[in-house]
Amino acid sequence: MAVRFEDIQAARAVIHKVIAPTPTLPDPLTSDELGAQVFVKAECLQRAGSFKIRGAYHKIAALTPQEKSRGVIAPSAGNHAQGVALAAALQGICSVIVMPQHAPLTKVVATRRLGAEVVLYGASFDDAVAHAHELQQQHGYTYVHAFNDEKIIAGQGTIGLELLEALPNLDVLVVPIGGGGLIGGIALAVKHLRPQTRIVGVQAAGCAPVNPSLRAGHPVSVPVAQTIADGIAVKRPGELTLPLIQQYVDQVLEVTDDEIARGIAHCAQNLKLVVEGAGAAGMGALLAGKVPVQPGQTVATVLCGGNIDGNLLSRVIEQVMVRQGRYLLLKLAVVDRPGALARVVDHVAAAGANIIDIFHRRALWLAPLGKVGVELVLEVRDAEHGEEVMARLEQAGYHPERERVGEWPD
C-alpha cells in the first residue's frame, strides 16, 4: 500500500508526545552568501541524536499486542539502531540490534544504554542483515526496516509538516538521501501542502545509487560505499522509496566528502550545532553552490543527525581550517646551532600567529649540511594573515615552503 498524506498526519498524532520539537533556525552567514533566507531544521537535536525515532516509534506503536510481546529486531550500526532501541524502550518491549563485529564501540555502548540487546555478528553490514533475518525467523521478532516501510516513511514525513508550519513560504528544501525514507516522507508531505516548493535530494558521491536507479526505472545497487557520511551510505534505494523520489523530488545531486566536511565545520563554527556527515550533506551542497537558489528565496535544509565520533569531528574541523587558510603548514630550513629555532619562533610570534605543532627534522629531509628541517603548523586569522606570516619569514631569510591542500572560497 502506497504512503498517503493522511498517513503522515496520523503518524504525527502517534509520535508527537515522544519526539523533541526540534527548531527551525536561521543561518545568517549562508543567507548572506546566497542572497536568500536560509534555515536549518535541527533534527541533530532530536532524541537519540537523529530523526530515526520518528519512524521507528510509529512503526512499533502499530504492532499488535502479540507482536509487541515477541519484540523487534533491526540490523544497524548507526542511527537506526538507536532510534529502534529508544522507540522500543518507550513502549516497554524488547529490541535486538544486530551489528557487525567491528562496529564502533561508541555506537554499541550507546545502543545498549538505550535498552537494546546488541548482537555482534559478521565482518560486514550484509552479514549482520542476514543474521538479523535468521534471528527473526527463529524467535518471531518483527523486523524494523530502516527505510523501506510505509510506517517508517510516514513517521519521517512529519518533519515536512513541521517545516511548512515554521516556513509557510518555503521555496527550496534540501534533504539528504540514504535509502530514501526521509526524503520520501518529507517530499510527499511538502508537495501535498505546497506543490511549488522545489525539493532537492543530496547523496554522497561515494555512495550514490539514486540517479542510476531513476534512470533505470527501478532500484539498482552501487558496488561500494566509501564516504564519511556513513548515515546515508546505502548502496540501493528502497522499492517503496524510489517511486516517491521519482514523483515528488525535483533534483538529486551528489556532494564530495570535502563538501560534506565543509558542511560539518560550518554547522559547528557558525550555527553551534554538532552535525554528522549525513546530516551535513544538504548544507555542503548549499555551500558548494550546487543547489539552484534565486535571490530572496526561502531555503531550508534538514540536519538529519548529530551522532558523529569526536575524533572524526576534530579531524574534519582541522582539515577545513587548513582549506580555509586558518591553518598554515610550512617547511623551512634553519641553521643547526643553539638558538636558531628560538629565533624562528620569535618571528612567528611577532607576526601574530599561533604555533599548533612544530617538528624538528634531522634525518628525514635532505637538508644542506649545517642546516636542519623544521615543519610548522600555525593558526592564523585568515588567508591574508597567512600571507603576512609567510612574507615576514621570507624577509628574515628562511624561504618557507607552504604545503597546499586546496582552498575553499570564503
Side-chain angles (χ1 to χ4, degrees):
M1 183 183 70
V3 182
R4 303 167 304 160
F5 177 73
E6 292 75 16
D7 298 324
I8 297 173
Q9 290 178 307
R12 190 178 196 182
V14 172
I15 70 174
H16 80 280
K17 291 184 179 180
V18 299
I19 63 169
T22 56
T24 300
L25 303 171
D27 183 344
L29 186 60
T30 308
S31 297
D32 289 344
E33 289 183 2
L34 300 182
Q37 297 299 311
V38 180
F39 296 84
V40 297
K41 176 65 169 167
E43 279 294 292
C44 52
L45 302 178
Q46 187 56 260
R47 297 181 72 174
S50 84
F51 71 97
K52 290 290 190 178
I53 180 64
R54 295 173 181 265
Y57 190 90
H58 185 225
K59 170 68 175 179
I60 294 172
L63 300 181
T64 66
Q66 293 78 12
E67 288 171 328
K68 288 183 177 180
S69 68
R70 292 192 291 268
V72 297
I73 191 167
S76 174
N79 292 336
H80 183 56
Q82 295 177 55
V84 171
L86 177 58
L90 290 171
Q91 297 181 64
I93 69 174
C94 71
S95 62
V96 179
I97 305 298
V98 184
M99 296 184 177
Q101 286 181 333
H102 300 294
L105 180 61
T106 53
K107 294 185 177 182
V108 174
V109 172
T111 304
R112 284 177 173 154
R113 188 181 296 122
L114 290 169
E117 175 190 348
V118 176
V119 176
L120 300 176
Y121 183 88
S124 69
F125 181 69
D126 290 340
D127 293 338
V129 170
H131 191 57
H133 282 297
E134 292 173 2
L135 293 176
Q136 177 197 13
Q137 295 297 320
Q138 292 173 14
H139 301 282
Y141 300 131
T142 295
Y143 189 93
V144 182
H145 200 283
F147 51 86
N148 203 45
D149 182 283
E150 293 90 345
K151 296 291 185 183
I152 296 287
I153 295 169
Q156 323 303 28
T158 57
I159 295 173
L161 303 180
E162 295 173 16
L163 270 167
L164 285 184
E165 288 174 358
L167 303 170
N169 297 317
L170 181 62
D171 295 304
V172 181
L173 176 59
V174 186
V175 184
I177 306 179
L182 177 66
I183 196 170
I186 290 176
L188 191 162
V190 170
K191 287 290 190 179
H192 181 90
L193 295 171
R194 185 175 162 80
Q196 65 268 44
T197 298
R198 179 175 176 80
I199 298 179
V200 179
V202 180
Q203 290 216 285
C207 186
V210 170
N211 275 322
S213 298
L214 291 172
R215 289 191 291 268
H218 59 82
V220 299
S221 300
V222 293
V224 295
Q226 188 169 1
T227 173
I228 62 170
D230 59 301
I232 54 173
V234 179
K235 295 181 181 179
R236 185 177 187 272
E239 300 285 348
L240 297 177
T241 59
L242 185 64
L244 292 171
I245 295 171
Q246 195 160 27
Q247 183 174 357
Y248 296 114
V249 177
D250 298 285
Q251 178 186 9
V252 176
L253 53 83
E254 286 113 38
V255 287
T256 66
D257 274 4
D258 281 351
E259 289 163 345
I260 292 170
R262 186 183 177 195
I264 294 171
H266 172 82
C267 291
Q269 293 172 326
N270 301 302
L271 301 179
K272 314 309 176 190
L273 294 171
V274 175
V275 181
E276 64 187 89
M283 180 58 71
L286 286 169
L287 294 173
K290 291 187 170 181
V291 180
V293 175
Q294 300 300 317
Q297 285 188 319
T298 299
V299 181
T301 185
V302 181
L303 307 179
C304 59
N307 293 319
I308 186 171
D309 177 76
N311 290 327
L312 175 59
L313 178 61
S314 174
R315 293 199 303 272
V316 164
I317 292 176
E318 184 176 82
Q319 183 189 79
V320 169
M321 291 183 72
V322 171
R323 293 183 181 275
Q324 290 175 336
R326 293 285 310 283
Y327 276 7
L328 197 60
L329 282 65
L330 300 181
K331 289 183 177 181
L332 49 89
V334 301
V335 176
D336 189 11
R337 64 180 59 153
L341 183 58
R343 285 190 288 275
V344 174
V345 172
D346 288 342
H347 283 293
V348 170
N354 182 41
I355 297 177
I356 302 297
D357 268 320
I358 186 166
F359 303 95
H360 203 245
R361 306 293 194 189
R362 289 185 177 276
L364 297 183
W365 282 23
L366 294 177
L369 292 176
K371 290 194 174 183
V372 64
V374 175
E375 297 177 10
L376 299 170
V377 181
L378 308 179
E379 182 184 9
V380 294
R381 293 187 295 272
D382 50 32
E384 183 179 355
H385 183 213
E387 294 299 329
E388 294 173 4
V389 174
M390 292 274 291
R392 183 181 183 96
L393 291 172
E394 184 71 35
Q395 290 170 3
Y398 292 106
H399 310 301
E401 295 181 11
R402 181 174 182 176
E403 290 289 301
R404 295 191 179 274
V405 185
E407 295 177 4
W408 284 313
D410 293 335

